[in-house]
Amino acid sequence: MTLRNAPVDVLLRRALADARRRFEARGEDRTLERFARQRVSLAHDLLSKRKHRAAEVKRVDAKTLLGIEEAATKLQCWLELFAPVLERGHWHTLAHLVAAEAALAQLHDVLASEAVLRRVAPGLNAKSAVDEAVRWLNKAARDEARAAVKCLRSLPHLV
């Protein structure tokens, strides 16, 4: 591998110098605060679009919620990275994002458990127990989906 054979600090310095050259070659004079606001705004727009698409359909599937979770994670990462240069109001958004991601992660766990159970069910001889477990997981998935949607709806709008 490249990192094992070369000193990491040299690679990082080269990458930083290359990024600086590319940034300066653009001819734009952008401040870090403006750049941070643009990145956060793009991530927020992506999350808003995915939330809007999910709100339009009658029943939200796991793939849609996973897309929302990815967009929320991206927004959270940008907010945490640029927290020192952004306004203080974003900490409130960050708290809501963490709560929404936790709810989405719980939903994902329930859906993954159901998928595993359905995959191994044919090999089990306890059909009634499997059916009961699937019913319970379906109810848990509905409850977790409602909680996740509630958390997503509580996200404040960014400027």
Side-chain angles (χ1 to χ4, degrees):
M1 295 185 119
T2 306
L3 289 178
R4 287 187 188 161
N5 297 333
V8 176
D9 62 335
V10 174
L11 288 173
L12 291 174
R13 288 174 202 242
R14 285 182 189 161
L16 182 61
D18 185 45
R20 183 177 290 137
R21 269 194 307 276
R22 287 182 185 182
F23 190 70
E24 290 170 355
R26 293 171 104 183
E28 293 181 22
D29 185 24
R30 237 183 344 183
T31 64
L32 181 60
E33 183 180 352
R34 184 171 159 211
F35 176 76
R37 272 193 260 119
Q38 286 175 338
R39 286 293 167 195
V40 168
S41 178
L42 286 173
H44 184 266
D45 290 347
L46 177 65
L47 178 60
S48 295
K49 286 177 187 174
R50 290 189 179 174
K51 281 175 37 181
H52 182 70
R53 271 190 228 130
E56 288 179 344
V57 297
K58 186 173 184 178
R59 188 175 174 129
V60 180
D61 61 346
K63 184 178 177 184
T64 304
L65 287 173
L66 182 62
I68 292 171
E69 183 180 8
E70 289 172 352
T73 301
K74 186 175 187 176
L75 178 58
Q76 179 186 354
C77 289
W78 283 124
L79 285 173
E80 288 175 351
L81 179 67
F82 292 124
V85 292
L86 292 173
E87 303 87 38
R88 298 187 80 173
H90 291 295
W91 286 108
H92 183 67
T93 302
L94 199 53
H96 282 281
L97 277 172
V98 170
E101 284 184 55
L104 287 166
Q106 287 178 336
L107 174 63
H108 187 266
D109 290 346
V110 170
L111 293 174
S113 298
E114 182 181 355
V116 168
L117 182 62
R118 289 184 186 275
R119 191 171 55 239
V120 300
L124 301 174
N125 291 331
K127 182 167 174 29
S128 62
V130 169
D131 290 342
E132 181 63 30
V134 167
R135 271 195 298 279
W136 185 86
L137 286 170
N138 282 333
K139 182 187 177 312
R142 281 192 308 273
D143 293 345
E144 294 298 339
R146 284 185 191 118
V149 168
K150 184 178 177 182
C151 284
L152 288 170
R153 286 186 178 144
S154 73
L155 287 174
H157 181 71
L158 294 175
V159 179

